[in-house]
């Protein structure tokens, strides 16, 4: 349960995420899907109920505990959230520099691998202002992958992209799920994309979970 003042934004939402799956959370504007995502990553703490990741109840963790959990998952934000003053490579390297004691040469090698995973190695030295919207999404995804997370969250990964670029992002999500074995939670309102990438789909409406089921084949 989540309330903002007198408004109930999430009402009795109950959902499990299974290891290795791509779970798509769908809903229109105002359905509560972005609020649900923020609860799942620990930005919001629920007014009722619990959110558990890797066996930890996020509502009971201190800052150190929350940081420990967050190092185990990656997030692709809707806006990509790249630092404009940093090159693509430096954006990807940031979490490695902050959260590991790896040698700079090792970090540089890992960054190259992550950029290769998202077909962006040639853009390593470019700045966010010099690349397209689709490339920014892929750079944001490379950064999310930097620490080899067990769990990936995607916030509207196709937002603002043309159909061809959107399809390429969908394919990346599928490839990463299969090759890296990461569990993925994708928040989107794009029905076409959802039916391409989902193993299971959850439908939110006005803060209530209408259904959670396997994608029909």
């Amino acid at each position: 349960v989540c309330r903002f003042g007198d408004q109930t934004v999430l009402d009795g939402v109950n959902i499990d995420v299974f290891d290795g799956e791509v779970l798509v959370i769908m809903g229109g504007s105002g359905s509560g899907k972005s609020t649900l995502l923020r609860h799942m990553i620990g930005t919001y703490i629920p007014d009722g109920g619990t959110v558990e990741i890797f066996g930890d109840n996020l509502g009971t963790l201190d800052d150190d505990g929350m940081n420990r959990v967050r190092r185990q998952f990656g997030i692709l934000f809707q806006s990509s959230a790249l630092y404009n003053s940093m090159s693509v490579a430096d954006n990807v390297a940031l979490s490695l520099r902050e959260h590991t004691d790896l040698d700079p040469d090792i970090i540089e090698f890992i960054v190259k691998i992550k950029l290769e995973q998202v077909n962006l190695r040639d853009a390593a030295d470019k700045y966010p202002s010099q690349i397209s919207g689709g490339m920014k999404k892929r750079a944001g995804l490379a950064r999310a992958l930097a620490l080899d997370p067990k769990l990936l969250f995607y916030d509207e990964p196709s937002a603002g992209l043309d159909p061809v670029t959107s399809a390429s992002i969908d394919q990346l999500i599928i490839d990463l799920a299969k090759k890296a074995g990461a569990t993925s939670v994708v928040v989107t309102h794009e029905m076409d994309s959802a039916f391409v990438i989902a193993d299971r789909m959850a439908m939110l409406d006005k803060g209530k979970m209408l259904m959670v089921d396997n994608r029909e084949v």
Side-chain angles (χ1 to χ4, degrees), residues 110-127:
I110 292 173
V111 168
K112 288 179 180 178
I113 291 174
K114 299 307 174 185
L115 290 174
E116 189 71 41
Q117 279 185 280
V118 299
N119 304 314
L120 209 60
R121 191 165 176 179
D122 290 343
D125 295 327
K126 294 184 181 296
Y127 287 83

Side-chain angles (χ1 to χ4, degrees), residues 103-156:
D103 185 89
D105 289 340
I106 300 296
I107 290 177
E108 182 180 352
F109 179 69
I110 292 173
V111 168
K112 288 179 180 178
I113 291 174
K114 299 307 174 185
L115 290 174
E116 189 71 41
Q117 279 185 280
V118 299
N119 304 314
L120 209 60
R121 191 165 176 179
D122 290 343
D125 295 327
K126 294 184 181 296
Y127 287 83
S129 61
Q130 298 173 311
I131 59 178
S132 68
M135 293 171 78
K136 288 177 184 177
K137 291 277 188 179
R138 285 187 276 150
L141 183 51
R143 185 180 59 187
L145 292 167
L147 294 173
D148 291 324
K150 303 175 184 177
L151 176 60
L152 284 167
F153 293 101
Y154 299 83
D155 184 11
E156 297 284 4

